[in-house]
Amino acid sequence: GNSVTQMEGPVTLSEEAFLTINCTYTATGYPSLFWYVQYPGEGLQLLLKATKADDKGSNKGFEATYRKETTSFHLEKGSVQVSDSAVYFCALRNSGNTPLVFGKGTRLSVIA
Amino acid sequence: GAVVSQHPSWVICKSGTSVKIECRSLDFQATTMFWYRQFPKQSLMLMATSNEGSKATYEQGVEKDKFLINHASLTLSTLTVTSAHPEDSSFYICSARDLTGDSYNEQFFGPGTRLTVL
């Protein structure tokens, strides 16, 4: 079946540090890959996505590249801010009408 | 992006009572809505897929008589937790799929409803 594995948290970083949150997936076919972010007290928001191999999704300084050979979609940001503190979820969707499958989420805390 | 609302945002109820949670797509029509359950420090677990005008499709292990889902219109789906027990305490999140415009096929999420059963 389809599944997503992401690194365990929590992750605590100082402001302006480099961030990597690892995500690997198992899926049949060619899934679309997503990163969602959940800020405290809010619903999940789409952060970025990639729909095919070698695509790079980017938004708000975050990037992730769809690597088919390593079945990975690691999230990176060069310089984190306190406002980036949130829970980040990696997710996949296998085909148009199927629901998203989520990883367990990684809590990021950025301290000034 | 599109907005999905949930009501109530939190509810406390006594064991044995039923609780209804509403999910609305505010500025788009959603033929498909999804209900997820999130346990502390865990991922979102898909409970069921709700299609407007037809019966919901439940994931394996989810009791359909316990978690009643109704999707009577293109902008509203409801989840009723019947005869709630403390183990039903959780964070329930709905999601709606937008099949129009620039957000084609994107899932938008509500802010969640925290249910506490005493």
Side-chain angles (χ1 to χ4, degrees):
Chain A
N2 301 323
S3 67
V4 175
T5 303
Q6 61 182 104
M7 65 186 287
E8 296 275 338
V11 174
T12 302
L13 295 174
S14 298
E15 209 165 21
E16 298 184 3
F18 184 86
L19 168 72
T20 300
I21 300 178
N22 290 336
C23 171
T24 56
Y25 67 90
T26 301
T28 55
Y30 302 97
S32 295
L33 303 173
F34 306 80
W35 276 99
Y36 280 81
V37 58
Q38 187 178 30
Y39 297 105
E42 298 184 18
L44 273 75
Q45 301 172 28
L46 178 63
L47 180 61
L48 54 85
K49 66 180 179 183
T51 57
K52 61 183 187 297
D54 299 326
D55 268 4
K56 177 187 283 188
S58 61
N59 185 25
K60 299 181 181 179
F62 291 89
E63 293 183 340
T65 301
Y66 190 143
R67 301 285 187 202
K68 184 165 175 280
E69 63 277 13
T70 55
T71 60
S72 64
F73 193 54
H74 304 322
L75 182 69
E76 295 182 338
K77 185 173 185 181
S79 176
V80 293
Q81 305 300 313
V82 173
S83 57
D84 294 326
S85 298
V87 181
Y88 292 81
F89 291 91
C90 186
L92 70 81
R93 184 170 64 219
N94 218 348
S95 61
N97 209 28
T98 56
L100 290 162
V101 174
F102 288 90
K104 290 189 173 182
T106 302
R107 181 175 299 277
L108 170 67
S109 296
V110 181
I111 53 178
Chain B
V3 179
V4 175
S5 71
Q6 276 184 247
H7 178 80
S9 55
W10 58 271
V11 57
I12 301 173
C13 70
K14 291 182 180 179
S15 187
T17 60
S18 294
V19 174
K20 180 186 283 189
I21 302 170
E22 292 186 348
C23 175
R24 294 181 186 272
S25 56
L26 296 186
D27 49 4
F28 67 101
Q29 294 184 329
T31 54
T32 303
M33 289 185 174
F34 305 96
W35 285 96
Y36 292 85
R37 183 173 178 177
Q38 185 179 24
F39 293 97
K41 299 183 180 180
Q42 294 196 31
S43 185
L44 282 73
M45 181 193 78
L46 180 67
M47 299 175 66
T49 300
S50 167
N51 294 300
E52 186 266 337
S54 63
K55 290 183 179 180
T57 303
Y58 290 81
E59 296 299 301
Q60 192 171 10
V62 178
E63 299 175 58
K64 61 182 180 182
D65 295 329
K66 172 81 172 171
F67 299 99
L68 300 178
I69 292 172
N70 183 280
H71 192 160
S73 78
L74 288 172
T75 59
L76 173 65
S77 176
T78 60
L79 168 67
T80 301
V81 183
T82 62
S83 187
H85 290 282
E87 59 265 27
D88 299 323
S89 299
S90 192
F91 196 55
Y92 293 88
I93 301 174
C94 77
S95 174
R97 174 167 284 158
D98 184 359
L99 293 178
T100 63
D102 295 337
S103 301
Y104 178 75
N105 213 18
E106 183 173 339
Q107 273 184 240
F108 296 94
F109 289 82
T113 298
R114 175 145 328 268
L115 169 63
T116 301
V117 184
L118 301 177

